[in-house]
Amino acid sequence: MRIAEIHLYQMDLPLNGTYRMSEGAYSILDSTIVEVISDTGVSGWGETCPVGPSYQPQHALGARAALNQMSPGLIGKEVTGPLAVRHSMDKLLNGHNYAKAAIDIAIHDLIGKTHGIRVSDMLGGAITDSANSYYALALGEPDDVARAAAEKVAEGYPRLQIKAGGRTSGRTRHRDDPQSVGGHGVHPSSSRLQPGTDHARRPAH
């Protein structure tokens, strides 16, 4: 089996409301969908979706640029397994693992469909049929965050993620406390913590 075609699609991924972080607010995420088609006509699908352009070095336009850089060199490559395709990508482009991940996911999907097996079985088998989710709370006033946290716990979320940066330290500690939501698992996210500071689908070119 060989790679015959690779197609990229840009998709606006709407969020349920506005998600605020220390460096910006988002109501839509820019996602890139990758379709890898084999010479037997089977399609595998993958995706990469960075959280905006300033949360991490990865960003959507960079992902599509990297994918466009690699894709022509992957056409005709034999798919003997995901690792072989990964080695081919590494020869074509240094770094940009977040973009390569989309093709890696698509290759796993392609192999699974071709052989009629689940990707989880390809990776050794599933040990559970479900996984606990968590809710990421947006940056906001402590009372508002505490209220939202209580609502999400009532909805059944076993874990919450809170933003620890973007406010003075005194205000951050006022309500964003595990005890405010009944002692449930609360995981601080402080990648931007600073001392004393507060849809249409279309082809991508």
Side-chain angles (χ1 to χ4, degrees):
M1 180 173 64
R2 296 181 180 274
I3 297 174
E5 303 173 37
I6 297 177
H7 301 284
L8 310 182
Y9 304 94
Q10 188 277 335
M11 177 175 286
D12 290 335
L13 183 65
L15 303 180
N16 184 19
T18 300
Y19 186 63
R20 291 181 175 83
M21 298 187 293
S22 57
E23 89 294 338
Y26 303 95
S27 58
I28 293 174
L29 296 181
D30 187 347
S31 181
T32 303
I33 310 296
V34 177
E35 180 186 17
V36 177
I37 305 176
S38 72
D39 56 356
T40 60
V42 179
S43 290
W45 296 86
E47 180 182 19
T48 179
C49 185
V51 183
S54 56
Y55 178 61
Q56 293 286 333
Q58 301 84 2
H59 62 105
L61 294 179
R64 290 193 283 276
L67 288 163
N68 279 314
Q69 176 71 31
M70 293 184 292
S71 293
L74 294 174
I75 301 301
K77 292 292 184 181
E78 187 174 4
V79 181
T80 57
L83 188 58
V85 176
R86 177 56 190 261
H87 287 164
S88 295
M89 288 193 287
D90 288 342
K91 291 178 181 178
L92 293 167
L93 183 66
N94 185 26
H96 298 277
N97 289 334
Y98 70 108
K100 293 174 180 176
I103 292 182
D104 183 70
I105 295 168
I107 292 297
H108 277 81
D109 186 38
L110 178 64
I111 294 173
K113 288 176 178 175
T114 297
H115 296 284
I117 59 175
R118 302 186 304 173
V119 172
S120 60
D121 292 331
M122 290 170 51
L123 300 176
I127 59 174
T128 181
D129 291 328
S130 63
N132 287 333
S133 181
Y134 74 91
Y135 188 89
L137 294 161
L139 188 66
E141 291 298 319
D143 287 338
D144 294 335
V145 174
R147 187 179 305 108
E151 291 174 356
K152 296 307 172 183
V153 168
E155 290 176 14
Y157 284 95
R159 294 182 177 86
L160 302 173
Q161 181 193 71
I162 63 172
K163 301 300 176 186
R167 297 188 288 265
T168 59
S169 58
R171 291 174 63 214
T172 300
R173 290 194 299 267
H174 174 58
R175 284 271 192 174
D176 296 350
D177 186 285
Q179 297 305 316
S180 299
V181 288
H184 280 68
V186 178
H187 304 278
S189 172
S190 56
S191 59
R192 294 283 177 168
L193 183 61
Q194 299 176 356
T197 63
D198 195 37
H199 297 267
R201 169 172 163 174
R202 57 186 181 273
H205 302 289

